[in-house]
Amino acid sequence: MLFTAYVAFAVLLAICMGLEFSACCAKLTGSACTNPAFLQFQLDYYQVYFLALVADWLQGPYLYKLYQHYHFLEGQIAIIYVCGFASSVLFGLVSTSLVDWLGRKKSCILFSLTYSVCCLTKLSWDYFVLVVGRILGGLSTALLFSAFEAWYVHEHVERHDFPAEWIPATFSRAAFWNNIIAIGAGVTANFFAEWLGLGPVAPFMVSIPFLMLTGIFAMKNWDENYGKKRALSKTCVDGLKCLLSDRRVLLLGTIQALFESVIYIFIFLWTPVLDPYNPPLGIVFSSFMAASMVGSSLYCIATSKRYHLQPMHILSLSVLMVFFSLFMLTFSTNPGQENPSESFLAFLLIELSCGLYFPAMGFLRRKVIPEKDQVGVMNWFRIPLNLLACLGMLILHDSDYKTGTRNMFTICSVMMVMALLAVVSLFTVVRNNAELRVPSPQGQNELSSPEL
């Protein structure tokens, strides 16, 4: 398994480099590229945001391993993850309103503090302390995905008065470097945890200096800005009306809830499936991130002027690929007949599918959901998504480890069949809708979404 992980990582890294050179999907063009004020503003944003991303990704490879290292059973670990998902639901609902009220800069500083405390809780062997840490992690993640982007958009338009058309260029470059950072974070985590022999808690401690620098640079270099006060109840009611009045929105929400809940369950399961065969978990994680980056690059190429595939087709393909991967996993995790290499390949296919899915879903959401209802609708999307993930964790909690894992992949396969049916229904509804097609001349720019 050790050799397989390193070979897979090297091959995927080479493919990533080749696709990125051929796709050229993150190039800035026009006056935005040469405007010194804009480039300096971008740099001020990236300086803070990229540090936050480094700290976040460093914690990915060894989270499950850490709880296992503290001798907790899989059922106990599942409950910790459930607390994290529940925290994400709660804070995800109020994060936008909280950030607008508190201030975007203060929220980014709060992120650095809460995530640092979350990392420090990993030093404790106490179960309750670790649960509290996961709850703080949910809050921090909600702030990461709301405060930073909101701060940038406000500063870009309101304070600096740059053209709104330049915003996608910033997020496109951020998406590209997010993938690079994720790959590098896995290698770095592996270096400290395994090559230096410091154990699974080391990457969390390494994250803390990056979080502190995030807060310091935000405090020093950023100005404060606030959002318009919006009643959470009105936002949610308007989102629910949009969800129920448009069948396209309802089907998109169904697909997202089913697909992304399966991905959450995969995030929980990949370590216990592979870890008995002693793989370098950081390198495995980097391989996953490289596979996801390959998927993003393939999306960019597929929707380019040359090939002109549509996001709806790519969404269908990504769901089908995940179903096929889960079908493989029901056999490769069969007790007594485990095949770790096949499981690893299936996990890589899932990550590649994610690289295709997220830009395609982001494009369709922007086209189908009115901008004024985006926040409310996304709040409703998150509820079934996280509930399904929590339900999966609870089923694992009450199951025997080996049979429970295989049964969970079987359940996930059924969920993906349901997602496929929702995709087919959506396809029939939007079949003749020209609005949901990528125009040929702009086909190469659809990866610019911050959803990536």
Side-chain angles (χ1 to χ4, degrees):
M1 190 65 205
L2 181 72
F3 177 76
T4 302
Y6 279 103
V7 169
F9 177 58
V11 170
L12 286 165
L13 204 56
I15 294 173
C16 279
M17 293 172 64
L19 287 174
E20 284 302 320
F21 278 118
S22 64
C24 298
C25 54
K27 283 186 177 180
L28 286 172
T29 57
S31 57
C33 185
T34 57
N35 186 304
F38 176 67
L39 292 177
Q40 182 58 50
F41 172 57
Q42 271 191 330
L43 183 62
D44 290 340
Y45 172 67
Y46 290 149
Q47 188 179 50
V48 176
Y49 183 54
F50 287 170
L51 286 169
L53 289 178
V54 171
D56 184 50
W57 284 119
L58 277 170
Q59 300 174 49
Y62 289 92
L63 181 61
Y64 187 100
K65 181 69 173 180
L66 177 72
Y67 298 140
Q68 205 174 47
H69 177 71
Y70 290 159
H71 305 299
F72 293 116
L73 301 175
E74 186 183 37
Q76 294 174 304
I77 299 173
I79 293 299
I80 298 178
Y81 273 76
V82 167
C83 292
F85 290 143
S87 172
S88 296
V89 173
L90 175 63
F91 293 118
L93 289 172
V94 301
S95 61
T96 302
S97 300
L98 173 65
V99 166
D100 290 343
W101 171 78
L102 182 63
R104 280 74 177 261
K105 173 182 172 179
K106 293 189 190 74
S107 297
C108 293
I109 295 170
L110 177 63
F111 158 83
S112 69
L113 294 175
T114 56
Y115 224 6
S116 296
V117 175
C118 172
C119 290
L120 287 172
T121 62
K122 302 300 187 292
L123 292 170
S124 174
W125 290 58
D126 186 86
Y127 190 76
F128 177 75
V129 172
L130 293 171
V131 168
V132 171
R134 282 300 290 166
I135 294 172
L136 288 174
L139 169 61
S140 304
T141 302
L143 292 173
L144 175 62
F145 290 113
S146 58
F148 290 85
E149 180 182 323
W151 180 89
Y152 176 83
V153 171
H154 184 280
E155 293 292 306
H156 181 107
V157 176
E158 301 295 336
R159 193 181 301 275
H160 294 279
D161 198 28
F162 293 129
E165 293 76 18
W166 292 2
I167 293 176
T170 298
F171 289 134
S172 176
R173 180 173 286 182
F176 171 79
W177 284 105
N178 181 43
N179 288 324
I180 300 296
I181 288 168
I183 294 170
V187 176
T188 303
N190 198 90
F191 174 78
F192 283 99
E194 300 193 31
W195 296 345
L196 293 184
L198 298 177
V201 75
F204 297 92
M205 298 303 103
V206 175
S207 294
I208 294 176
F210 290 100
L211 290 166
M212 291 295 98
L213 287 173
T214 298
I216 290 169
F217 283 133
M219 193 182 303
K220 179 182 177 184
N221 299 332
W222 286 11
D223 295 314
E224 184 62 276
N225 64 57
Y226 298 86
K228 297 178 181 178
K229 293 182 179 179
R230 292 169 289 185
L232 179 61
S233 58
K234 187 178 187 304
T235 300
C236 290
V237 169
D238 290 344
L240 183 60
K241 288 179 180 177
C242 177
L243 186 65
L244 297 178
S245 62
D246 191 334
R247 191 179 175 207
R248 300 175 305 167
V249 178
L250 187 61
L251 287 169
L252 268 184
T254 301
I255 296 165
Q256 178 174 328
L258 291 167
F259 187 99
E260 295 182 26
S261 60
V262 167
I263 299 305
Y264 281 6
I265 293 170
F266 150 71
I267 290 170
F268 174 81
L269 286 176
W270 74 265
T271 303
V273 169
L274 298 179
D275 191 50
Y277 306 96
N278 299 315
L281 295 178
I283 300 300
V284 169
F285 182 84
S286 291
S287 299
F288 291 162
M289 297 301 102
S292 179
M293 188 173 181
V294 168
S296 297
S297 299
L298 288 174
Y299 175 86
C300 181
I301 294 170
T303 56
S304 67
K305 186 176 181 180
R306 181 176 180 182
Y307 297 101
H308 199 47
L309 289 178
Q310 297 304 320
M312 193 66 228
H313 301 143
I314 296 173
L315 180 69
S316 306
L317 177 62
S318 64
V319 173
L320 189 61
M321 287 174 62
V322 172
F323 168 72
F324 175 73
S325 302
L326 292 166
F327 189 69
M328 287 174 59
L329 286 163
T330 59
F331 292 97
S332 63
T333 58
N334 190 26
Q337 299 176 345
E338 293 91 345
N339 188 330
S341 296
E342 187 177 319
S343 295
F344 183 42
L345 175 61
F347 290 149
L348 290 174
L349 285 175
I350 290 175
E351 283 290 349
L352 190 147
S353 303
C354 288
L356 294 169
Y357 164 85
F358 283 106
M361 176 59 79
F363 174 88
L364 293 170
R365 275 203 308 259
R366 291 194 305 274
K367 295 295 183 180
V368 169
I369 306 172
E371 187 176 352
K372 64 182 180 66
D373 296 321
Q374 286 269 353
V375 174
V377 171
M378 288 304 297
N379 283 342
W380 286 107
F381 280 8
R382 289 189 189 102
I383 292 174
L385 190 163
N386 286 278
L387 287 177
L388 286 170
C390 289
L391 182 62
M393 297 295 101
L394 292 173
I395 291 173
L396 276 173
H397 174 259
D398 292 329
S399 303
D400 174 68
Y401 160 60
K402 290 189 175 181
T403 57
T405 299
R406 183 173 186 266
N407 292 340
M408 181 49 59
F409 285 129
T410 303
I411 292 171
C412 288
S413 298
V414 174
M415 291 169 64
M416 293 314 298
V417 170
M418 296 169 64
L420 275 172
L421 293 174
V423 168
V424 171
S425 297
L426 180 63
F427 195 81
T428 59
V429 172
V430 304
R431 182 172 56 223
N432 299 317
N433 193 335
E435 183 187 6
L436 300 184
R437 293 179 174 272
V438 177
S440 184
Q442 287 123 14
Q444 292 181 331
N445 294 330
E446 292 306 334
L447 199 61
S448 61
S449 166
E451 298 290 339
L452 294 184

